[in-house]
Amino acid sequence: TSISRCRGRRPSRRAAHSPGALAPNAGDRGGLLLASTPTLEQPPGLTVWRSLLAVAVGGALGTGARWGVDTLLPSATPGALSVSTVVVNVVGSFALGLIVAAVWPRPGVPLWLKAGVGTGVLGSFTTFSAVTLNVVAGALEANLLAVVGALLFSTVFGLLAAWGGLRLGAKLFRLRASQGPIIPDGGADL
């Protein structure tokens, strides 16, 4: 890992986005911050609004999809195991893992698209609050099946689904990357 000082100057775009790069941090006394993941610069004004709009629209789509799953699959009252909650959490975990590994690394994927799909659609589709509500209510009612089911199915299967999505997405990205550019213009028109 290389170390560089970032006082008073901006790191190059390539340096700011490389793993292990150092980025400026206002709260850091030495002007250094070891970043284990790529750092992202704050986008200019119009892009912020575009990202906000993408999150709002994505949130509406994800919430609608979640409502659809709740109407199709059995959902339970608090304190009982909810099949629909487990399904949306496992499917959402897989989908996010797949997209993060297969789409995010592609050159030119805009920040607003990542925010709209990741935070908007999948963030509103999945639900951690329903899992915790089922666990607490199940514990209060001494319903061991609801407690174990909510924790086991949503958490363990959600983790396995995210892992599977990341693995499959990485494999898909490697296949596409070896076949040449995915988007001829580098994603400028996305």
Side-chain angles (χ1 to χ4, degrees):
T1 304
S2 63
I3 298 177
S4 65
R5 291 251 170 222
C6 298
R7 289 183 194 211
R9 64 180 173 87
R10 261 173 106 152
S12 70
R13 186 168 181 85
R14 171 175 242 151
H17 293 281
S18 62
L22 296 174
N25 182 358
D28 184 41
R29 292 185 184 165
L32 297 175
L33 172 69
L34 181 59
S36 59
T37 57
T39 58
L40 297 175
E41 295 178 23
Q42 183 66 29
L46 182 60
T47 306
V48 171
W49 287 106
R50 186 178 298 150
S51 296
L52 181 61
L53 179 62
V55 169
V57 170
L61 294 172
T63 301
R66 168 69 197 277
W67 177 82
V69 172
D70 279 344
T71 60
L72 294 175
L73 296 176
S75 55
T77 58
L81 180 61
S82 174
V83 174
S84 63
T85 299
V86 172
V87 167
V88 297
N89 286 333
V90 172
V91 169
S93 295
F94 177 80
L96 187 59
L98 180 70
I99 291 167
V100 163
V103 178
W104 275 207
R106 292 170 57 173
V109 176
L111 180 61
W112 66 264
L113 183 62
K114 293 178 183 181
V117 172
T119 303
V121 174
L122 294 172
S124 64
F125 179 69
T126 59
T127 175
F128 183 70
S129 58
V131 173
T132 57
L133 177 67
N134 284 335
V135 169
V136 171
L140 291 174
E141 295 174 9
N143 184 345
L144 189 61
L145 177 64
V147 172
V148 171
L151 287 174
L152 177 72
F153 292 127
S154 280
T155 306
V156 174
F157 291 153
L159 288 169
L160 290 172
W163 175 78
L166 286 168
R167 299 269 305 181
L168 179 61
K171 191 174 285 190
L172 291 173
F173 181 70
R174 277 194 300 274
L175 287 175
R176 289 181 183 162
S178 67
Q179 296 169 353
I182 300 165
I183 302 173
D185 66 355
D189 294 328
L190 281 181

